[in-house]
Structures are given as structure tokens and as C-alpha cells.
Amino acid sequence: MWKDLLDLPRNVWRSIFRNPLPSSDRGRAATSFTNFFLHIQPVRVSKQALRPSYTMGLGLISFFLFVILTVTGVLLMFYYVPSTGMAYDRMLDLRSSVAFGIILRNMHRWAAHAMVAVVFLHMCRVFLTGSYKPPREFNWILGVCLFLLTLLSSFTGYLLPWDQLAFWAITVGTSIAGYAPLVGKELKFLLLGDANVGQEALLRFYVLHVVVLPAVLTIFVAVHFWRIRKDGGLAKPEPAALPPAAAAEPDVAAAAAVPAAEPARRFVIQGLVRGPLVKVGKLEEDTVFSWPNLLIAELVVLLLTIAGLLAVSYFFNAPLEQPVNVMHPPNPAKAPWYFLGLQEQVSYSAFWGGIGVPGIELLLLVLLPFIDRGKQGVGRWFARERVLANSVFLLFVLINVVLIVIGTFFRGANWQFVSPF
Amino acid sequence: MRLALAVLSLVVLIGSGVVVYDQFHSRWEDNQKAYFNQALGLAKTPAERASLEARVPKIEQTIVTGFGEQRIDRCVSCHIAVDDPRFTTEKQPLATHPYSEAMGDVLRNGRWERRHKFTDFGCTTCHDGQGRGLDRADAHGDDSFWPEPMLGYTMQDGWKKEISSHLHGKEYMQANCARCHTAKDFAGTPLVARGRELFFKTGCYGCHRIEEISSGTLGPDLTEVGKERKLDYLWGHIVNPRDYTATSIMPQFKLTDEDRKALVIFLKSRRGSDLTESDTERFRLKSANVTPALPGVSEPGAAAAGPALTPAARGEKLVGDLACMSCHKLGDRDGGISPDLSYEGLMRDQPWLMDHFRSPRSRIPDSNMPAFGLPQADFEAITAYLLTRTTPPAAATPADTFKTLCVRCHGEKGDGKGINYLYLDPAPRDLTRAEFMVSKPQERFIASIRDGVAGTSMPAWGKSLSDEQVKGVLDYVWQTYVKEPRRQLKPRKVPEQNPAPTSAESIGRGEATFMQRCTGCHGRKADGHGPNSMDISPRPRNLRNFAFMQHTPDRRLMESIEYGVEGTAMPSWMDYGLSQSDVGDIVNYIRSLNQTGK
């Protein structure tokens, strides 16, 4: 009886964490797949995937930003009221009267902007390392969807402070949606619930922002992560040791069997740890155990994200402009920065700039893995074999960045060209 | 990697510590603690002492519901001693709000009682500022986005130094007093009353509408200007309207800083609604649609005095009362904005003046004179008075004649930049531009001086000056400003009458050519406001100035188009491939625009 009581803490601990802190390879493997939060990670991870210069942690940063956004967002929800009469007052309260209000709002705001940027950079990383090639085509498509969802989440959140900046940015943004052919007007009406941005739009954007989009985003993130595992981890370069002649030698059937063989190997490891299987699969040589190598790397990225965000949020306040005045649009009224490239294009042609060109760009992005079927240059930055694809992609990125820079800094009243200097 | 992890953990820990420390360390708490300590020293009874010792800093707020929209004022969280009479000599933020008999505070049994209790009024009802803020900068409205910085106290970051230096002082709060104390002669708001007076004396009412006060339509409605604009804009815009809107036609009135201050305060008090009336009353007033009466004009006293005066004498009084000379020149009084009326009786006739009063733009289409909503009888009286101004200027040398009559518009240098050139549209001719001057025949200049130029501010001097004098002035202009010998003009082959017959097809063709060739300068409406017009001097002609167009013969139009106008941006369109019949079509098109004019 006494002994049971004395052992109580240890027994509770054991019931939660099946494995003691691992000291053997077998223990390290077991730790990974007996823990709910760790089992999404592989037992062993390739050294290449751990190199900071390879991924720059961009995907992880995006995910951590999303987590931070969820946490700060839920806390902000305790104060926010999606009503045109009260939203702005609540912003003022957050700014000076609510405990931690300003830091919460700043973190949420800057994390939202950062997430748009980081998700985009992550996409660039995946492209430039050719990581969308088979078998990862579908995960690339999921990634494009996630990028769009990030944009939408950020955009719907932009309206909620209900200040001049928010009001007119959303007015401009939804007008761009209105240029879509056939369904444009209806889409805009559906989004706003009214002919103009008003109470209905605020409520709709609120619900989209706090419920619908985060839920969809979470599901997509889950599938995105799951696919990374099922597609064999992060993209690796083709084994350099294998001479090109040998690679060409196996017949078609053998080549098709290769992806199927990869998951099988992992089952082998699990079987080994659990006991019944005796057969030891050959471990890949350039891999290390996830515990603790991957875990530490992930923690570093998490802390780096939090530290950076805290610093920015401490020194820079999220903007809060005048209360909404429907009669006085600012001149120029600008969309959020990530849509300013679109707005700049719209200033040349409403349909082509707002719907046509971005639509084609998006379609190209989605179809990319099915257009570019070359097998070379996977898992390496700026692989020489992919010079054409990379150049075209970078050109598109450059054009869009330049358009955004022009829209942000070089456009003054009446969308006239002005110099910011 | 592990080292990085350790360092980062430390950084995040410290960062979080800083954030937490910041949150639990606010100025308002310090202020309250300082107040408690000082009050403890002043406390007389143990009970008072005990209650003070028990107090801990907390957010103090007043929820104001009685005045307009509900507002929450947390100002007292810092200014915690506002109602504690022992702190009158303290410095802010721990000072007592002053007591003032003028504001209705009463001294009873040695204790002051406030007329405007903070529990009822809060703070921002009178002071403006942002009541919810607990931070000094937030609460006072330092942030340039906040629409209501504290009146007369807070100057926002974006405000120009030379403007904001005028905007300090508690008298600016009269603008908020007037939101409840709406009576014109309320003793507490002398500057609002003065501003209202100036609003009429300087003629603002002629262009601007303010509900229940004035009904001008030429300028923006100022009914809610106090809600929409901050003090710096109001002041700066009165000093120079074109600093804010490059194309504004609002004159720069000559006002002293004191007058500007009164006007700014008056305008700031115009917030669209006053706090004493209910929504129902407001609606009733609005739907009654009263035309506001002008003070000093139609008031009963003026009507009683009316019959005793002849129309001309009454007109003379009206010209003074209505402050016509805040723009015009008459005798030795000169507003420096609008034309000289001293010889009006020699220049205009009764129908012209009456038409012009009723609608200035029926005679001078680009005039910036407002159509004042005066009764017919008043216009007749003023017309009668102006028609008595028939004393021609004393005969003098051409140089002196030019100085007294022409310099006001054409400028001392003859470059068309007299004191009022900015307000005249079309602008006065630049007499120093020799290319233009030598390209036109002498007869045209003589005619312009003698008969005036219709549709513009150039009046007919024929009755004021003899033909000899006119010629003398022209010779003087030539010697002093043109400084080039007159040229024998080559006769040009231009038909007297437009050879193209007027027809719908011809007008259509003319319109097509016009839209292709002419709109860059003359504008798509042919009103002279094309995209290039701002960069061109002299400005392109407004081809919808029907008064001018009526008096311009076909020959001159065709010549200007075919051969261009020397010394201006108008090119010779023959050189650009327009044929005689193309030009005829264009003239037909331009004429068609002026058919329905008037």
C-alpha cells in the first residue's frame, strides 16, 4: 500500500510516457512512435533534411506562426466584438487598457504578415530545390492550396479592426474579386453580404477568419504533413554513389517498385523495436535518429520564431488608423501589401490584372508538377539541370515582387507614380 | 545546436520577462500612487488616512451617456485629483481641474460645486482626446490618426510647426462649448460668435453652405466640417487653400491671426449636430428646409430703415454690409481678389448686372463669384448703386492710367500676374509675350480695351477712356512690355464665314477630330481642362465659355486652328494635316457645344 503510494508519481508518469528517456537506439526509435506528438515524425531522418541551409526551416516557421496565430487569436477573441459600432473601440481598449492587449495584437498582426511571406518563401524553397517532383506532386498542390488559404485568412483578418486602413483595403480587395467573369458580382456579394463593406461583411469576415479558414487550414496542414511522411520525407538528391549507367539499368517494373519499397523499410524498423520481427532492414547510411536530432532542430526553429516575433511586436505597434469614415476614402486606398501587386496590375487592366493573369499564374502553379516531368535536380538548390525552370520561376517571383514594391512605395494619390525618397 | 537552443531559450525567457514587466508597470499606476502618498500627508482624520491606505491603483472611468454617442473616459485614471480642491497648485497630471464662475461653478460654504460635473460630462465631451486611452500619447490623441486630439492642447505629429504654433490655448475649447450652448450671443463663446460674424463679413457664406446658417453652393458644405477636419487643416486651409487642393478656387482672404483663430473655432464647432437636440428635432429641422436669413440684410431693422433710403443709397449700404470689398475693389477699399467696381456704371448695364448677380456664371462662365441668395430687391438696390459709379478716372498720362486701371490684373511687370490673377479665369493676358502681341493686329487690342472681352473679366473701357487714351495706353504697353517693333502682318487665307455647312454629320466629324487631336489640352469636355492644361501658359481656352464664343467670329476661330496662336501652346494644325473642311467641322462642333449655353 505505502509502496504503491510512493510509486504513484512514477506510475502516472509511466502511464503517460511509455518509454523512459531513451539511452539506446532502440529506445530512441520507440520514443518517436509511442508519443502522439512525435509519431508524425520519422524515427530516422536524413542528415540533409536537418541542414539549416537546405530548408531554412521555412515550412516549420510557417507552421509555428500558424500555431502562434491560433493562440493569440483565441485570446484576442475574448475581447473582440464583430460589430461596426464596437470593433474599433475594442481596438482602442486592446491598445491601452487590456492586460497584454497590445502585445497580443502586435504578435497576431505581425505573425499574420510574416506567415504570408514565409509560406511564399517556403514555396520558393520547394521549387528551387525541385522538391515537387514525383512522388510529391500532390503535396505541392496541397501547398499551393495552403498558400491561398493563408492569403485568405490574412485578408479576412485585415477587416476586423474596422479602421480606415481595414475598410478601404477590403473595399479594394473585394472589388478585385468583383472583376471575375460570370460569377464576379455574385462572389463579391456573397463575400460582403451587401453591396458595400458593412456590418454584414464584418460578421462574415469574422466567421471566416476565426472558424472556417483555420479549420480548413488545419486539415490541409495535417494532410500536408502526413504526405511528407508517406512521400518519403523531404526530397533528397538522387544517390550520387549510384553511377548513371546503373540507374538506367533496372527495368520498368523495378523502377515502379522503388517507391513501394520505401514504406516497407520503416515497418521493418517498427517491427524490430516491437519484437516479433527479427529481420533487420539495412539502415540508410546518411540518416540519424529523430530523437534528439530533429527534435532539437525543431525546438530551435520554434524559439527563433518566438524570439523574432516578440522582438518585432515589442518595438513596432500594429497600425490603427482613423475610425471608418465611409464618406472619405483615403487617397490612394490600398489593399493589404500582398495584394498590392494585384492592385498595381488592376491599374493597367481590371480583368487581366485582377483575374486573368493571377488566374493563369495560379493554374501554372497547380499544374507545375505535371508540366515539368524532368527527373533531374531533385533535392539540390539551383540544380544545373533545372536552370530553365528555376529561371522562369524566379522571373515570375521577381515580377510579382517588383509589382508589390511599386504598389507599396511608388504609388501616391490617384495611383500616380511618386518617389518615396 | 544544443548551444543555440540554450541561448534562444534564454532570449525568449528574457523577452517574455520584459513584456510582462511592461504590462504591470504603467504610468497611471505611478500617478495614482503619488496621489495617494500626497493625500496621505494632507489627511486630517485617521479614518481618511485608513481609507487612503486601503486604496490600490485601479482604472477609473466615467461612462458618459448623455451627450451624443456613449463614450468611456478613463482620463481620471491619471488625472486622479481633478475633483480634489487641495491640489490646485499641483502640476499635471495631479492638478485639480480649475473652478470657474464663468463656467457656472458655485462656491457654497467654502466648497466649490461644479456646474459641469465630471460624472455627467466626462472629460472628452469638452476637451476632445481619446477617453479610452490609458497611455499619455493615446489618451491625448497624439497619434496622427486620431480624429479628435485635445482642443488647444495636443498638436499631432503631422502638423506643420508654423500652423500648430497658432493652435494652442484653451479658447479653442469654445468650439465644444458651442455644441450645447448654441445661442449666437452666448457669453461663454465669444470667439464662436466672432467667427460666425466673420463667416458673413468675409463672404464665406456666399460659397459655403452650413445648415441653418448659409446656403452657398460654390464651395464644399461645411455643416460637418468640425467633425471631419482637425484644427491644423482648418487653419492651414484658410491661410492658403492651394496648399491642400492645387486647383482650389477659394481666395486667400486677408485676415489677421485673431480673425483666423475665431473662424477656425467657429468652423470647429460645426459638427453637424448639436448635443442638445434629439434625433427627432434634428429631422424636423432638416425636413423643414429653411432658407437661412442673412444677418444684417433681411432682419426686421433693415426693412424698417429701407423706405427712408433711395435704392442707390440702400445699395451702397448693402455693399458695405455684405462685405463686397472683402474681394472687390471699390474706391480705396480693395479685397485684392475680384475686379475693380469703381467704374462699374461705365462698364456694365442694368441687365448685365442683374443677370450676373443672379448667376455670375451666366455672364462669365468661369467666374468664382458665388450666387448670393439675396432678395431681388437687394440686387436691384446694389445694381442701382453700382450704376451710379460713372465718374471716369481723371485724365492722366498713359503710364499712370495703366498703373491705376490695368496693373491690378495685368501686373506691374505686365506679365498678367496682378494681385488677383489667380482668381480670374481666363487669366489676364501676359503683355510681355511679344510673339503673341506682334502676331495680332492693332485693331484687335484696341477693340479689347474699348469694348472689353466678353465672357472674361476684361471690362469695356470705352466709356471711361477716350479713344486717344486707349491708343496711348496701348502705345505705352508696347514700349514698356512688348518691346518689339510692330510688324506688318501677312494677309492669311482664312474665310470670313465657316465654309462647312452646319449639319449633324459635320458636327460628328468635328467631334471625332476634336476627340483625337484637341482633348489633351482642351479636355474631353472642351472646357480647357485637359490633362496637359495645368502645364501650359496661357491656359487652353475654355471652348464652352459661350459668352466668349458668341463674340468670337468664325474667322478668328479658323485662323487660330489653322495657323495656331503664336506665343501659346496652340500649334498650327494645317501643319499637322488638317484641311480647311476638317477645321470647318471642328468649328461647327465647338459652336454646337455653345448652342444650349445659358
Side-chain angles (χ1 to χ4, degrees):
Chain A
M1 175 69 184
W2 276 115
K3 193 174 172 296
D4 284 352
L5 268 181
L6 278 176
D7 284 346
L8 183 78
R10 191 145 45 112
N11 287 337
V12 172
W13 180 267
R14 280 265 178 86
S15 73
I16 300 172
F17 302 101
R18 296 262 164 76
N19 290 83
L21 272 181
S23 53
S24 65
D25 282 357
R26 188 171 159 162
R28 290 189 189 104
T31 310
S32 287
F33 59 71
T34 57
N35 183 306
F36 175 80
F37 295 100
L38 296 183
H39 92 282
I40 190 151
Q41 290 161 346
V43 170
R44 290 183 71 88
V45 60
S46 77
K47 282 181 186 160
Q48 144 124 348
L50 282 177
R51 269 214 315 274
S53 62
Y54 179 55
T55 61
M56 302 184 180
L58 290 167
L60 262 186
I61 295 178
S62 314
F63 174 67
F64 290 142
L65 284 173
F66 178 57
V67 174
I68 293 172
L69 281 166
T70 312
V71 174
T72 53
V74 168
L75 291 174
L76 287 173
M77 277 173 74
F78 284 110
Y79 293 99
Y80 183 74
V81 184
S83 133
T84 54
M86 294 176 76
Y88 188 82
D89 286 348
R90 292 304 172 123
M91 291 297 125
L92 294 178
D93 281 352
L94 278 174
R95 188 161 76 178
S96 54
S97 310
V98 172
F100 297 107
I102 190 157
I103 197 85
L104 276 180
R105 182 164 125 74
N106 290 351
M107 281 179 78
H108 195 76
R109 179 71 162 220
W110 298 135
H113 285 320
M115 188 171 160
V116 173
V118 173
V119 169
F120 181 73
L121 290 176
H122 174 57
M123 189 168 85
C124 294
R125 193 281 289 173
V126 171
F127 188 98
L128 295 174
T129 56
S131 301
Y132 55 85
K133 307 239 164 188
R136 299 182 177 81
E137 305 106 302
F138 184 64
N139 222 11
W140 166 266
I141 295 175
L142 286 178
V144 173
C145 294
L146 278 167
F147 177 55
L148 289 183
L149 284 168
T150 308
L151 282 181
L152 278 180
S153 302
S154 191
F155 182 65
T156 47
Y158 213 82
L159 179 66
L160 304 189
W162 201 248
D163 61 350
Q164 281 286 76
L165 182 69
F167 182 88
W168 293 102
I170 301 306
T171 303
V172 172
T174 48
S175 303
I176 295 178
Y179 291 129
L182 303 174
V183 293
K185 292 273 165 298
E186 282 72 17
L187 186 72
K188 189 180 164 197
F189 187 80
L190 194 70
L191 213 54
L192 296 183
D194 196 346
N196 296 305
V197 179
Q199 175 62 64
E200 294 307 316
L202 183 59
L203 192 55
R204 279 175 196 214
F205 274 53
Y206 176 70
V207 173
L208 284 175
H209 184 72
V210 304
V211 180
V212 181
L213 289 169
V216 178
L217 204 76
T218 307
I219 294 170
F220 270 75
V221 167
V223 180
H224 196 62
F225 284 3
W226 185 79
R227 284 297 295 225
I228 297 175
R229 286 293 308 283
K230 297 296 145 185
D231 294 341
L234 301 191
K236 295 182 272 287
E238 52 274 33
L242 215 62
E249 204 177 314
D251 60 345
V252 185
V258 168
E262 273 185 44
R265 192 177 299 145
R266 274 192 297 279
F267 284 122
V268 170
I269 296 172
Q270 190 169 345
L272 168 73
V273 177
R274 285 263 164 87
L277 275 179
V278 218
K279 189 184 164 215
V280 180
K282 196 170 154 258
L283 292 177
E284 290 162 84
E285 281 183 3
D286 58 342
T287 61
V288 288
F289 273 102
S290 296
W291 179 287
N293 300 299
L294 179 58
L295 211 67
I296 290 181
E298 285 176 352
L299 269 178
V300 167
V301 173
L302 173 64
L303 290 179
L304 212 60
T305 311
I306 294 180
L309 193 59
L310 264 184
V312 172
S313 305
Y314 186 74
F315 290 110
F316 301 97
N317 278 345
L320 184 67
E321 296 197 350
Q322 296 95 325
V324 166
N325 186 341
V326 189
M327 304 304 292
H328 283 265
N331 190 357
K334 287 188 178 183
W337 63 268
Y338 38 83
F339 284 150
L340 278 183
L342 283 191
Q343 196 178 348
E344 175 67 20
Q345 292 178 47
V346 166
S347 73
Y348 306 130
S349 154
F351 170 75
W352 283 109
I355 302 296
V357 172
I360 291 170
E361 282 176 349
L362 202 63
L363 201 69
L364 282 179
L365 271 186
V366 170
L367 292 180
L368 172 72
F370 309 102
I371 298 170
D372 173 22
R373 300 300 286 178
K375 296 214 165 46
Q376 301 293 306
V378 175
R380 280 178 291 133
W381 279 88
F382 304 111
R384 186 159 293 181
E385 299 87 337
R386 292 176 32 76
V387 68
L388 177 67
N390 284 342
S391 311
V392 172
F393 180 75
L394 282 177
L395 185 70
F396 269 94
V397 170
L398 193 71
I399 290 173
N400 276 295
V401 169
V402 165
L403 284 173
I404 286 178
V405 169
I406 291 178
T408 311
F409 298 109
F410 291 86
R411 291 297 181 181
N414 303 327
W415 213 249
Q416 298 274 358
F417 195 86
V418 292
S419 166
F421 310 112
Chain B
M1 222 37 158
R2 280 166 206 245
L3 182 70
L5 190 64
V7 171
L8 277 170
S9 306
L10 206 67
V11 167
V12 170
L13 209 65
I14 293 173
S16 314
V18 168
V19 169
V20 171
Y21 176 81
D22 242 35
Q23 279 299 316
F24 291 107
H25 200 84
S26 326
R27 282 274 298 277
W28 62 267
E29 286 177 277
D30 295 347
N31 289 334
Q32 290 197 13
K33 281 180 198 153
Y35 169 73
F36 298 151
N37 282 335
Q38 290 194 36
L40 214 55
L42 295 167
K44 286 181 186 125
T45 62
E48 197 185 340
R49 203 176 298 256
S51 80
L52 271 169
E53 269 163 4
R55 279 180 80 172
V56 285
K58 67 179 178 66
I59 296 176
E60 307 276 348
Q61 65 180 17
T62 315
I63 299 176
V64 188
T65 48
F67 302 93
E69 282 172 24
Q70 175 187 303
R71 41 176 84 215
I72 294 178
D73 284 355
R74 304 195 172 116
C75 318
V76 194
S77 301
C78 278
H79 301 278
I80 188 148
V82 277
D83 250 345
D84 188 335
R86 296 169 299 181
F87 284 74
T88 38
T89 54
E90 271 305 313
K91 279 212 186 92
Q92 288 292 9
L94 291 188
T96 314
H97 191 284
Y99 296 95
S100 138
E101 277 176 348
M103 279 185 55
D105 301 343
V106 197
L107 190 61
R108 256 191 214 123
N109 311 326
R111 287 182 71 98
W112 280 97
E113 259 179 50
R114 289 196 193 280
R115 171 75 184 79
H116 302 83
K117 290 195 177 60
F118 300 138
T119 43
D120 297 333
F121 287 84
C123 308
T124 56
T125 311
C126 301
H127 283 276
D128 280 1
Q130 185 214 305
R132 285 171 179 264
L134 282 174
D135 197 58
R136 187 183 190 280
D138 282 350
H140 292 186
D142 288 355
D143 174 10
S144 59
F145 288 123
W146 184 247
E148 298 178 345
M150 284 179 67
L151 281 179
Y153 180 78
T154 299
M155 306 297 133
Q156 291 185 335
D157 301 335
W159 293 10
K160 284 189 201 144
K161 268 259 156 48
E162 64 267 28
I163 293 178
S164 58
S165 64
H166 297 287
L167 300 178
H168 289 277
K170 58 184 175 193
E171 59 270 29
Y172 280 96
M173 284 167 55
Q174 289 179 20
N176 275 350
C177 304
R179 297 186 66 197
C180 297
H181 302 286
T182 48
K184 267 182 231 172
D185 50 354
F186 181 68
T189 57
L191 284 172
V192 176
R194 170 89 185 121
R196 184 195 290 262
E197 197 186 318
L198 282 166
F199 186 75
F200 289 100
K201 265 187 118 173
T202 39
C204 311
Y205 73 101
C207 294
H208 293 287
R209 173 175 183 270
I210 294 182
E211 217 170 85
E212 296 164 52
I213 290 183
S214 66
S215 56
T217 52
L218 205 54
D221 189 328
L222 300 181
T223 307
E224 299 191 355
V225 74
K227 195 163 81 183
E228 286 160 4
R229 303 296 186 186
K230 302 178 205 170
L231 293 178
D232 78 310
Y233 181 94
L234 295 174
W235 184 286
H237 198 284
I238 291 174
V239 172
N240 186 4
R242 272 154 296 279
D243 280 353
Y244 295 83
T245 316
T247 52
S248 170
I249 55 163
M250 174 163 154
Q252 261 175 299
F253 293 99
K254 289 179 201 148
L255 295 167
T256 63
D257 281 353
E258 281 310 303
D259 286 351
R260 282 182 187 141
K261 181 187 271 188
L263 258 180
V264 164
I265 292 173
F266 168 68
L267 290 175
K268 188 66 192 166
S269 70
R270 299 298 107 196
R271 298 223 191 178
S273 62
D274 66 62
L275 297 175
T276 52
E277 63 192 0
S278 70
D279 291 349
T280 338
E281 282 167 330
R282 171 118 222 99
F283 176 74
R284 209 166 285 152
L285 257 173
K286 252 190 152 158
S287 47
N289 198 14
V290 232
T291 319
L294 297 173
V297 181
S298 313
E299 273 170 17
L309 297 170
T310 62
R314 204 168 86 80
E316 182 170 10
K317 187 175 177 306
L318 280 168
V319 166
D321 288 350
L322 293 169
C324 301
M325 269 79 77
S326 67
C327 292
H328 287 283
K329 178 173 193 277
L330 188 59
D332 47 3
R333 288 170 65 195
D334 186 356
I337 288 165
S338 305
D340 189 350
L341 302 179
S342 308
Y343 315 102
E344 200 69 355
L346 296 169
M347 293 165 176
R348 314 290 189 193
D349 51 15
Q350 213 259 352
W352 194 98
L353 282 171
M354 284 305 286
D355 276 358
H356 186 266
F357 273 130
R358 263 185 240 112
S359 166
R361 275 159 295 285
S362 70
R363 289 295 179 163
I364 302 179
D366 289 316
S367 166
N368 72 342
M369 170 155 165
F372 293 95
L374 298 178
Q376 176 85 358
D378 286 0
F379 282 147
E380 276 165 8
I382 300 173
T383 304
Y385 167 65
L386 287 179
L387 288 175
T388 64
R389 304 288 309 195
T390 50
T391 320
T397 62
D400 286 342
T401 309
F402 187 85
K403 195 166 277 174
T404 45
L405 302 181
C406 313
V407 159
R408 199 161 170 279
C409 302
H410 288 281
E412 269 174 44
K413 294 183 195 146
D415 56 359
K417 295 199 170 146
I419 46 169
N420 62 358
Y421 85 100
L422 214 53
Y423 309 112
L424 303 180
D425 187 1
R429 178 69 67 188
D430 176 358
L431 304 173
T432 59
R433 195 159 297 199
E435 304 108 289
F436 174 81
M437 299 299 285
V438 298
S439 73
K440 300 291 172 219
Q442 289 300 299
E443 296 75 46
R444 178 166 147 193
F445 295 116
I446 302 258
S448 289
I449 300 174
R450 205 180 48 219
D451 309 329
V453 181
T456 78
S457 298
M458 178 75 182
W461 295 101
K463 288 187 192 159
S464 319
L465 303 174
S466 67
D467 285 358
E468 277 307 300
Q469 280 173 305
V470 169
K471 219 173 156 309
V473 167
L474 187 60
D475 287 340
Y476 171 77
V477 165
W478 224 268
Q479 283 160 19
T480 327
Y481 303 119
V482 183
K483 292 184 196 155
E484 260 188 44
R486 286 168 187 165
R487 224 186 268 158
Q488 190 61 43
L489 295 173
K490 265 185 252 158
R492 281 166 170 172
K493 244 183 72 190
V494 184
E496 283 306 314
Q497 288 289 318
N498 183 3
T502 313
S503 67
E505 295 86 63
S506 165
I507 292 173
R509 282 195 303 272
E511 181 174 7
T513 319
F514 187 88
M515 288 302 158
Q516 224 174 26
R517 304 291 189 103
C518 315
T519 52
C521 300
H522 289 284
R524 295 185 68 81
K525 291 189 202 150
D527 57 0
H529 291 300
N532 306 334
S533 63
M534 292 296 277
D535 308 324
I536 291 174
S537 165
R539 295 277 164 83
R541 183 72 70 180
N542 173 4
L543 302 174
R544 283 176 178 268
N545 185 334
F546 46 84
F548 174 81
M549 296 310 286
Q550 262 171 10
H551 285 82
T552 309
D554 282 357
R555 187 194 152 84
R556 179 167 157 194
L557 291 180
M558 301 210 46
E559 184 181 340
S560 294
I561 302 174
E562 286 179 16
Y563 292 92
V565 182
E566 286 89 337
T568 76
M570 181 77 177
S572 161
W573 285 100
M574 278 206 311
D575 298 349
Y576 287 97
L578 289 194
S579 68
Q580 184 94 280
S581 75
D582 291 337
V583 175
D585 291 339
I586 294 177
V587 169
N588 277 335
Y589 169 63
I590 295 170
R591 292 270 184 231
S592 78
L593 295 176
N594 292 293
Q595 286 303 316
T596 47
K598 189 156 193 180

